[in-house]
Amino acid sequence: MENERIKGTRFSTVQIADNQLICGLRLELDEPETVFPNVNLVNNNRLSYFYVRGDASRPVTSTLVIHHNALPGTRSELRYVTGPASIVANLDVRELWLIDVTGATVKENHVKCPGLQTGEKGITVGNAANNLFADNIIRRCSRAFYVYGSTGNIIVGNYAPESTIEMGSTSSNNTIYDNAFAGHVGYGSNTWNVAPQAGPNIMDGPFIGG
């Protein structure tokens, strides 16, 4: 199949499942009177990428569930999304960008860049608030996370032993703990630890935080 583009629609739900070798999937708002549907991308889609976009004056507020897909081609993105979004257990994600996104859950994904020297970032978080990034595996990326202009996000349990996390100076009040990173660039006004609690932690130790 060629690139699929689904614009805003009056249908309440779109389900896309069990497709192989789709070049890419773009889901965008269309005319001002249309609404964005609830979207479920489930069960063994193989896509080059996904791209979901609202706009600044009219963000996507629908429920998005994107999980168990293979996404090996190029960058996948959410832009201007404020509805509940779950991006879970996707494999071979090339890069993942969340720009102007609020309230998303991004967990248990496998992100893989072409190499440490390519400059690609595993997960980019821009102008985003109150999202959860948990238990992702990120390999061969120059940065595991690049976070700028963002607040209130939680980054926990991510495994990226080859890559650093970069926190831009405009990011604040994010909580980053119990991750395996090679190091960090920048601190910002963020929290880098939590009170100790029973583990195991990401390195199989008995406690998380402390």
Side-chain angles (χ1 to χ4, degrees), residues 48-60:
S48 178
Y49 65 89
F50 68 82
Y51 180 81
V52 180
R53 182 183 63 82
D55 59 47
S57 62
R58 197 162 57 107
V60 174

Side-chain angles (χ1 to χ4, degrees), residues 173-207:
N173 298 315
N174 301 287
T175 302
I176 307 102
Y177 69 100
D178 194 35
N179 300 283
F181 297 135
H184 60 83
V185 178
Y187 278 101
S189 299
N190 299 292
T191 298
W192 291 84
N193 206 346
V194 295
Q197 54 190 280
N201 63 34
I202 195 167
M203 303 305 291
D204 290 325
F207 296 103

Side-chain angles (χ1 to χ4, degrees), residues 35-51:
V35 296
F36 201 91
N38 292 329
V39 176
N40 295 273
L41 272 65
V42 298
N43 192 17
N44 198 37
N45 292 293
R46 184 174 178 82
L47 312 171
S48 178
Y49 65 89
F50 68 82
Y51 180 81

